[in-house]
Amino acid sequence: MSEIKLGMISLDTSHVIVFSELLNHKDHPWHVPGGKVIAGYPGGSADMHSSFSRVDGYTNQ
């Protein structure tokens, strides 16, 4: 079975880290097989400081 290549948009919450771990790490206890995150677009909401101020941190993780 081939994996579906996935991308994430708006990397401004911890969900990015959690979902990537669930999809990409086969040894994770709650691994979801069938897809792999291979790309991300680091956008966020320019109107919300709590969004745009966190993009760099979550993108780097």
Side-chain angles (χ1 to χ4, degrees):
M1 176 172 148
S2 63
E3 292 180 321
I4 297 171
K5 296 177 183 175
L6 304 169
M8 292 193 175
I9 300 171
S10 195
L11 309 179
D12 63 347
T13 71
S14 60
H15 293 108
V16 172
I17 307 305
V18 174
F19 293 153
S20 294
E21 289 175 355
L22 292 175
L23 291 162
N24 289 8
H25 300 296
K26 294 181 175 154
D27 58 338
H28 193 285
W30 297 313
H31 173 66
V32 178
K36 184 172 184 175
V37 178
I38 62 161
Y41 178 77
S45 175
D47 297 336
M48 295 178 59
H49 184 269
S50 63
S51 174
F52 69 77
S53 65
R54 301 185 298 183
V55 170
D56 287 341
Y58 288 122
T59 301
N60 290 332
Q61 279 187 321

